[in-house]
Amino acid sequence: MHDMLAHEESALINFRHYTRDPQEHGFRWVDIKQLRFSAESVDDRGLLTALIGHEQFRDDYAGGGVLPDGPRHGPYWLRLITPALYEPIGEEKAVQILQGWLDPLWSVPTELEADLQREVFARLAAADDIYYLGELGDEAIHDWGRVHDYFHEFVLIDRSAGRITLIVAADD
């Protein structure tokens, strides 16, 4: 089923490139993966199933990149992630989660703010549906999965563009 999705492009917003002091929010980043699907594709659950089965989903987000046969996704064992774990949320809730993660007391550098607006917040606004992967619990954490202090994952479905976007915002 993963062949219904075609990887289009990926982007990484590494906060380290926007700050003079790498200790100040320098270990935060946002990874964006875009995949195309055909207009006649299945419902959202089918798209989530295809995404979980796609090789681009096999990324531990810890420096190794995508491993086509990898057993991990972020801090979790891949085999334990199912479409049912994704909670449908609205744009307002997604923005609230991300703004809380960004730290309301931090003055976000102008260039970083512009890149986040273009690459993340504009995509949230354009999405027909937004899904959020909540905490899966200790049993789902893989053998070295605690390298991330925070791990926020959103799946955006934009049917008019025929695009599914995986956004991961994390600290390590």
Side-chain angles (χ1 to χ4, degrees):
M1 181 180 278
H2 77 275
D3 57 344
M4 77 167 54
L5 298 177
H7 181 244
E8 189 175 55
E9 65 180 323
S10 296
L12 176 69
I13 300 174
N14 188 334
F15 288 27
R16 186 173 297 135
H17 300 299
Y18 300 89
T19 181
R20 290 187 194 137
D21 179 5
Q23 300 302 313
E24 179 190 39
H25 303 282
F27 301 102
R28 289 182 180 204
W29 45 265
V30 179
D31 185 276
I32 302 131
K33 292 178 173 47
Q34 292 187 108
L35 298 100
R36 284 221 170 268
F37 61 87
S38 59
E40 65 275 356
S41 286
V42 296
D43 62 6
D44 288 3
R45 181 174 288 274
L47 287 171
L48 287 168
T49 299
L51 177 64
I52 293 167
H54 199 279
E55 76 174 22
Q56 287 295 314
F57 198 76
R58 287 161 167 69
D59 192 332
D60 57 32
Y61 298 100
V66 173
L67 300 172
D69 296 320
R72 297 173 184 86
H73 173 76
Y76 305 116
W77 289 113
L78 178 66
R79 70 181 185 279
L80 299 177
I81 299 176
T82 67
L85 296 172
Y86 286 86
E87 171 192 358
I89 63 172
E91 177 189 359
E92 186 176 328
K93 177 68 174 172
V95 168
Q96 180 183 30
I97 291 167
L98 287 166
Q99 292 291 356
W101 171 74
L102 280 170
D103 182 358
L105 302 177
W106 182 44
S107 179
V108 179
T110 305
E111 188 182 350
L112 173 57
E113 189 172 20
D115 287 350
L116 288 170
Q117 179 58 43
R118 182 185 67 253
E119 297 292 339
V120 178
F121 295 108
R123 294 181 201 282
L124 287 169
D128 296 311
D129 296 293
I130 301 170
Y131 292 90
Y132 181 69
L133 180 65
E135 287 287 322
L136 300 190
D138 288 341
E139 66 281 353
I141 304 289
H142 65 69
D143 47 352
W144 48 267
R146 298 227 183 265
V147 297
H148 300 101
D149 293 329
Y150 295 93
F151 186 85
H152 298 288
E153 179 173 318
F154 303 87
V155 176
L156 287 50
I157 298 174
D158 182 341
R159 289 200 176 273
S160 63
R163 182 177 293 129
I164 188 167
T165 304
L166 175 63
I167 296 176
V168 171
D171 301 45
D172 51 32

